[in-house]
Amino acid sequence: QRLHPDTPIAESGFNSHCALLTVFVALQDITCGMGATEVVPGTHCAAAHVLLNSESNREENKKLQALRAGGFGTQTEVTLSTGDVFVMDSRLVHRGGANSSENRRALLYSSFAVPNNAPGGSTYSLLDELAGGRKFRVSNLETWCGC
């Protein structure tokens, strides 16, 4: 994946507070080779988003260089042990890594928003057509996700 925030500050206006938390629960050990999520610490602010979206930073390496030069942290892979929980501000700049292992990566993923103050965009865990009080069972995964 390319570096991105799930909630871009410029579009949402959510600069002063977190409107959405993303939670990952590791259902197995997640190693670097399995495509662990990469985060850039401290980038949940407008200054980082400006650097990320600058015309001169269209290439991924230039984005990372600009963020480092702007005083933000180095990208970090979030490796997890089974049962670990990683909570992320949806404004944080991140990307999914490439899975170069022979294993699938299994995570439980959920989003939590401030009621009546949620940002727009594709930042939610459940697709609109699946929402609305319906119950879904993991055993029926193939039928409700089109697998």
Side-chain angles (χ1 to χ4, degrees), residues 39-138:
V39 299
V40 183
T43 56
H44 57 291
C45 62
H49 289 218
V50 168
L51 289 171
L52 185 72
N53 295 315
S54 169
E55 282 296 320
S56 61
N57 297 330
R58 290 295 172 208
E59 296 174 29
E60 290 297 291
N61 288 339
K62 287 187 178 182
K63 289 179 183 184
L64 287 169
Q65 290 170 359
L67 290 169
R68 272 189 232 112
F72 297 99
T74 304
Q75 76 188 51
T76 302
E77 289 181 302
V78 181
T79 57
L80 303 168
S81 296
T82 303
D84 283 354
V85 175
F86 173 63
V87 180
M88 181 180 81
D89 182 324
S90 69
R91 299 170 298 170
L92 188 72
V93 174
H94 66 284
R95 66 180 170 194
N99 188 346
S100 59
S101 77
E102 297 196 15
N103 300 317
R104 295 184 108 182
R105 182 179 63 206
L107 292 164
L108 175 65
Y109 170 92
S110 188
S111 302
F112 298 90
V114 175
N116 303 315
N117 196 28
S122 60
T123 57
Y124 302 105
S125 301
L126 192 60
L127 299 172
D128 289 340
E129 62 267 21
L130 299 178
R134 294 175 54 195
K135 292 184 180 182
F136 302 97
R137 297 189 184 281
V138 174

